[in-house]
PDB file of all heavy atoms in Angstrom:
ATOM      1  N   VAL B  15      24.629  51.681 -10.741  1.00 98.00           N
ATOM      2  CA  VAL B  15      23.308  52.317 -10.682  1.00 98.00           C
ATOM      3  C   VAL B  15      23.263  53.226  -9.460  1.00 98.00           C
ATOM      4  O   VAL B  15      23.735  52.828  -8.388  1.00 98.00           O
ATOM      5  CB  VAL B  15      22.209  51.232 -10.557  1.00 98.00           C
ATOM      6  CG1 VAL B  15      20.831  51.875 -10.585  1.00 98.00           C
ATOM      7  CG2 VAL B  15      22.360  50.190 -11.652  1.00 98.00           C
ATOM      8  N   PRO B  16      22.689  54.450  -9.557  1.00 98.00           N
ATOM      9  CA  PRO B  16      22.050  55.034 -10.747  1.00 98.00           C
ATOM     10  C   PRO B  16      23.037  55.289 -11.869  1.00 98.00           C
ATOM     11  O   PRO B  16      24.140  55.767 -11.616  1.00 98.00           O
ATOM     12  CB  PRO B  16      21.459  56.352 -10.228  1.00 98.00           C
ATOM     13  CG  PRO B  16      21.438  56.243  -8.740  1.00 98.00           C
ATOM     14  CD  PRO B  16      22.534  55.315  -8.369  1.00 98.00           C
ATOM     15  N   VAL B  17      22.602  54.960 -13.097  1.00 98.00           N
ATOM     16  CA  VAL B  17      23.466  55.181 -14.245  1.00 98.00           C
ATOM     17  C   VAL B  17      23.393  56.640 -14.667  1.00 98.00           C
ATOM     18  O   VAL B  17      22.397  57.337 -14.405  1.00 98.00           O
ATOM     19  CB  VAL B  17      23.074  54.275 -15.431  1.00 98.00           C
ATOM     20  CG1 VAL B  17      23.310  52.820 -15.085  1.00 98.00           C
ATOM     21  CG2 VAL B  17      21.628  54.507 -15.846  1.00 98.00           C
ATOM     22  N   THR B  18      24.471  57.123 -15.311  1.00 97.00           N
ATOM     23  CA  THR B  18      24.508  58.498 -15.780  1.00 97.00           C
ATOM     24  C   THR B  18      24.258  58.548 -17.282  1.00 97.00           C
ATOM     25  O   THR B  18      24.354  57.531 -17.972  1.00 97.00           O
ATOM     26  CB  THR B  18      25.897  59.111 -15.506  1.00 97.00           C
ATOM     27  OG1 THR B  18      26.856  58.389 -16.299  1.00 97.00           O
ATOM     28  CG2 THR B  18      26.262  58.997 -14.032  1.00 97.00           C
ATOM     29  N   ASP B  21      27.185  57.226 -19.100  1.00 97.00           N
ATOM     30  CA  ASP B  21      27.248  55.752 -19.163  1.00 97.00           C
ATOM     31  C   ASP B  21      26.510  55.243 -20.398  1.00 97.00           C
ATOM     32  O   ASP B  21      26.970  54.331 -21.093  1.00 97.00           O
ATOM     33  CB  ASP B  21      26.564  55.120 -17.929  1.00 97.00           C
ATOM     34  CG  ASP B  21      27.353  55.318 -16.651  1.00 97.00           C
ATOM     35  OD1 ASP B  21      28.574  55.500 -16.743  1.00 97.00           O
ATOM     36  OD2 ASP B  21      26.734  55.275 -15.570  1.00 97.00           O
ATOM     37  N   ALA B  26      26.711  50.651 -27.301  1.00 96.00           N
ATOM     38  CA  ALA B  26      26.252  50.219 -28.630  1.00 96.00           C
ATOM     39  C   ALA B  26      25.351  49.007 -28.471  1.00 96.00           C
ATOM     40  O   ALA B  26      25.518  48.213 -27.530  1.00 96.00           O
ATOM     41  CB  ALA B  26      27.457  49.870 -29.497  1.00 96.00           C
ATOM     42  N   ASP B  51      -4.211  54.283 -11.123  1.00 97.00           N
ATOM     43  CA  ASP B  51      -5.040  54.578  -9.953  1.00 97.00           C
ATOM     44  C   ASP B  51      -4.549  55.783  -9.154  1.00 97.00           C
ATOM     45  O   ASP B  51      -5.216  56.201  -8.207  1.00 97.00           O
ATOM     46  CB  ASP B  51      -5.106  53.347  -9.034  1.00 97.00           C
ATOM     47  CG  ASP B  51      -5.630  52.116  -9.775  1.00 97.00           C
ATOM     48  OD1 ASP B  51      -6.279  52.292 -10.825  1.00 97.00           O
ATOM     49  OD2 ASP B  51      -5.369  50.983  -9.313  1.00 97.00           O
ATOM     50  N   GLY B  52      -3.355  56.293  -9.484  1.00 97.00           N
ATOM     51  CA  GLY B  52      -2.906  57.532  -8.874  1.00 97.00           C
ATOM     52  C   GLY B  52      -2.267  57.416  -7.498  1.00 97.00           C
ATOM     53  O   GLY B  52      -2.121  58.414  -6.784  1.00 97.00           O
ATOM     54  N   LEU B  57       8.623  54.844  -2.990  1.00 97.00           N
ATOM     55  CA  LEU B  57      10.039  55.092  -2.724  1.00 97.00           C
ATOM     56  C   LEU B  57      10.471  56.284  -3.564  1.00 97.00           C
ATOM     57  O   LEU B  57       9.760  56.686  -4.489  1.00 97.00           O
ATOM     58  CB  LEU B  57      10.895  53.873  -3.021  1.00 97.00           C
ATOM     59  CG  LEU B  57      11.154  53.465  -4.477  1.00 97.00           C
ATOM     60  CD1 LEU B  57      12.150  52.332  -4.542  1.00 97.00           C
ATOM     61  CD2 LEU B  57       9.887  53.092  -5.200  1.00 97.00           C
ATOM     62  N   ALA B  73      10.483  34.178  -5.398  1.00 87.00           N
ATOM     63  CA  ALA B  73      10.877  34.555  -4.038  1.00 87.00           C
ATOM     64  C   ALA B  73       9.752  34.213  -3.085  1.00 87.00           C
ATOM     65  O   ALA B  73       8.589  34.111  -3.482  1.00 87.00           O
ATOM     66  CB  ALA B  73      11.171  36.059  -3.970  1.00 87.00           C
ATOM     67  N   SER B  80      11.553  37.519   6.732  1.00 91.00           N
ATOM     68  CA  SER B  80      12.687  37.661   5.821  1.00 91.00           C
ATOM     69  C   SER B  80      12.313  37.118   4.435  1.00 91.00           C
ATOM     70  O   SER B  80      11.356  36.360   4.296  1.00 91.00           O
ATOM     71  CB  SER B  80      13.907  36.917   6.375  1.00 91.00           C
ATOM     72  OG  SER B  80      13.626  35.539   6.444  1.00 91.00           O
ATOM     73  N   THR B  89       9.917  39.349 -17.715  1.00 92.00           N
ATOM     74  CA  THR B  89       8.687  39.093 -18.466  1.00 92.00           C
ATOM     75  C   THR B  89       8.682  39.974 -19.717  1.00 92.00           C
ATOM     76  O   THR B  89       9.404  40.969 -19.795  1.00 92.00           O
ATOM     77  CB  THR B  89       7.450  39.355 -17.591  1.00 92.00           C
ATOM     78  OG1 THR B  89       6.311  38.761 -18.216  1.00 92.00           O
ATOM     79  CG2 THR B  89       7.206  40.845 -17.395  1.00 92.00           C
ATOM     80  N   MET B  98       4.897  53.719 -20.770  1.00 98.00           N
ATOM     81  CA  MET B  98       6.291  54.140 -20.630  1.00 98.00           C
ATOM     82  C   MET B  98       6.493  55.649 -20.549  1.00 98.00           C
ATOM     83  O   MET B  98       7.282  56.120 -19.737  1.00 98.00           O
ATOM     84  CB  MET B  98       7.136  53.536 -21.768  1.00 98.00           C
ATOM     85  CG  MET B  98       7.512  52.087 -21.554  1.00 98.00           C
ATOM     86  SD  MET B  98       8.576  51.868 -20.112  1.00 98.00           S
ATOM     87  CE  MET B  98       7.536  50.942 -19.037  1.00 98.00           C
ATOM     88  N   SER B 105       9.240  58.501 -12.859  1.00 98.00           N
ATOM     89  CA  SER B 105      10.281  57.734 -12.147  1.00 98.00           C
ATOM     90  C   SER B 105      11.694  58.177 -12.494  1.00 98.00           C
ATOM     91  O   SER B 105      12.630  57.859 -11.756  1.00 98.00           O
ATOM     92  CB  SER B 105      10.151  56.249 -12.486  1.00 98.00           C
ATOM     93  OG  SER B 105      10.571  56.023 -13.826  1.00 98.00           O
ATOM     94  N   LYS B 108      16.147  55.389 -16.468  1.00 98.00           N
ATOM     95  CA  LYS B 108      17.028  55.513 -17.643  1.00 98.00           C
ATOM     96  C   LYS B 108      17.288  54.168 -18.302  1.00 98.00           C
ATOM     97  O   LYS B 108      17.761  54.112 -19.437  1.00 98.00           O
ATOM     98  CB  LYS B 108      18.371  56.146 -17.214  1.00 98.00           C
ATOM     99  CG  LYS B 108      18.264  57.603 -16.803  1.00 98.00           C
ATOM    100  CD  LYS B 108      17.989  58.495 -17.993  1.00 98.00           C
ATOM    101  CE  LYS B 108      17.896  59.955 -17.576  1.00 98.00           C
ATOM    102  NZ  LYS B 108      17.505  60.809 -18.726  1.00 98.00           N
ATOM    103  N   GLY B 114      12.665  40.543 -24.500  1.00 95.00           N
ATOM    104  CA  GLY B 114      12.185  40.711 -25.867  1.00 95.00           C
ATOM    105  C   GLY B 114      12.135  42.124 -26.409  1.00 95.00           C
ATOM    106  O   GLY B 114      11.813  42.317 -27.577  1.00 95.00           O
ATOM    107  N   TYR B 121      10.921  52.766 -29.307  1.00 98.00           N
ATOM    108  CA  TYR B 121      12.153  53.341 -28.762  1.00 98.00           C
ATOM    109  C   TYR B 121      12.263  54.815 -29.163  1.00 98.00           C
ATOM    110  O   TYR B 121      12.635  55.664 -28.371  1.00 98.00           O
ATOM    111  CB  TYR B 121      13.378  52.566 -29.264  1.00 98.00           C
ATOM    112  CG  TYR B 121      13.530  51.188 -28.654  1.00 98.00           C
ATOM    113  CD1 TYR B 121      14.036  50.127 -29.396  1.00 98.00           C
ATOM    114  CD2 TYR B 121      13.183  50.941 -27.325  1.00 98.00           C
ATOM    115  CE1 TYR B 121      14.191  48.863 -28.842  1.00 98.00           C
ATOM    116  CE2 TYR B 121      13.317  49.683 -26.765  1.00 98.00           C
ATOM    117  CZ  TYR B 121      13.818  48.645 -27.530  1.00 98.00           C
ATOM    118  OH  TYR B 121      13.960  47.403 -26.984  1.00 98.00           O
ATOM    119  N   HIS B 155       7.429  46.575  -1.798  1.00 97.00           N
ATOM    120  CA  HIS B 155       6.267  47.443  -1.666  1.00 97.00           C
ATOM    121  C   HIS B 155       5.042  46.775  -2.276  1.00 97.00           C
ATOM    122  O   HIS B 155       5.119  46.161  -3.336  1.00 97.00           O
ATOM    123  CB  HIS B 155       6.518  48.779  -2.370  1.00 97.00           C
ATOM    124  CG  HIS B 155       7.714  49.496  -1.833  1.00 97.00           C
ATOM    125  ND1 HIS B 155       7.730  50.114  -0.600  1.00 97.00           N
ATOM    126  CD2 HIS B 155       8.963  49.654  -2.354  1.00 97.00           C
ATOM    127  CE1 HIS B 155       8.929  50.641  -0.389  1.00 97.00           C
ATOM    128  NE2 HIS B 155       9.689  50.379  -1.436  1.00 97.00           N
ATOM    129  N   GLU B 159      -1.038  44.013  -1.471  1.00 93.00           N
ATOM    130  CA  GLU B 159      -2.006  44.481  -2.460  1.00 93.00           C
ATOM    131  C   GLU B 159      -1.836  43.785  -3.817  1.00 93.00           C
ATOM    132  O   GLU B 159      -2.814  43.536  -4.517  1.00 93.00           O
ATOM    133  CB  GLU B 159      -1.866  45.999  -2.667  1.00 93.00           C
ATOM    134  CG  GLU B 159      -2.221  46.843  -1.448  1.00 93.00           C
ATOM    135  CD  GLU B 159      -1.059  47.007  -0.475  1.00 93.00           C
ATOM    136  OE1 GLU B 159      -0.047  46.275  -0.601  1.00 93.00           O
ATOM    137  OE2 GLU B 159      -1.169  47.853   0.434  1.00 93.00           O
ATOM    138  N   LEU B 160      -0.600  43.494  -4.201  1.00 93.00           N
ATOM    139  CA  LEU B 160      -0.342  43.009  -5.566  1.00 93.00           C
ATOM    140  C   LEU B 160       0.132  41.562  -5.636  1.00 93.00           C
ATOM    141  O   LEU B 160       0.187  40.977  -6.729  1.00 93.00           O
ATOM    142  CB  LEU B 160       0.711  43.907  -6.246  1.00 93.00           C
ATOM    143  CG  LEU B 160       0.327  45.382  -6.410  1.00 93.00           C
ATOM    144  CD1 LEU B 160       1.502  46.177  -6.991  1.00 93.00           C
ATOM    145  CD2 LEU B 160      -0.887  45.535  -7.321  1.00 93.00           C
ATOM    146  N   ALA B 193      16.230  40.777 -36.977  1.00 96.00           N
ATOM    147  CA  ALA B 193      15.021  40.285 -37.652  1.00 96.00           C
ATOM    148  C   ALA B 193      15.068  40.614 -39.143  1.00 96.00           C
ATOM    149  O   ALA B 193      14.614  39.823 -39.976  1.00 96.00           O
ATOM    150  CB  ALA B 193      13.774  40.892 -37.011  1.00 96.00           C
ATOM    151  N   ALA B 198      15.109  38.094 -44.604  1.00 96.00           N
ATOM    152  CA  ALA B 198      15.588  37.985 -45.988  1.00 96.00           C
ATOM    153  C   ALA B 198      15.457  36.563 -46.527  1.00 96.00           C
ATOM    154  O   ALA B 198      15.374  36.346 -47.731  1.00 96.00           O
ATOM    155  CB  ALA B 198      17.046  38.456 -46.061  1.00 96.00           C
ATOM    156  N   PRO B 209      -0.507  26.961 -49.888  1.00 93.00           N
ATOM    157  CA  PRO B 209      -1.297  27.446 -48.750  1.00 93.00           C
ATOM    158  C   PRO B 209      -2.477  26.512 -48.497  1.00 93.00           C
ATOM    159  O   PRO B 209      -2.978  25.865 -49.424  1.00 93.00           O
ATOM    160  CB  PRO B 209      -1.804  28.822 -49.209  1.00 93.00           C
ATOM    161  CG  PRO B 209      -1.076  29.143 -50.451  1.00 93.00           C
ATOM    162  CD  PRO B 209      -0.568  27.860 -51.038  1.00 93.00           C
TER     163      PRO B 209
END
Side-chain angles (χ1 to χ4, degrees):
Chain B
V15 184
V17 295
T18 65
D21 289 335
D51 303 340
L57 73 173
S80 63
T89 196
M98 281 296 114
S105 72
K108 291 290 181 185
Y121 288 145
H155 302 287
E159 295 85 347
L160 299 175

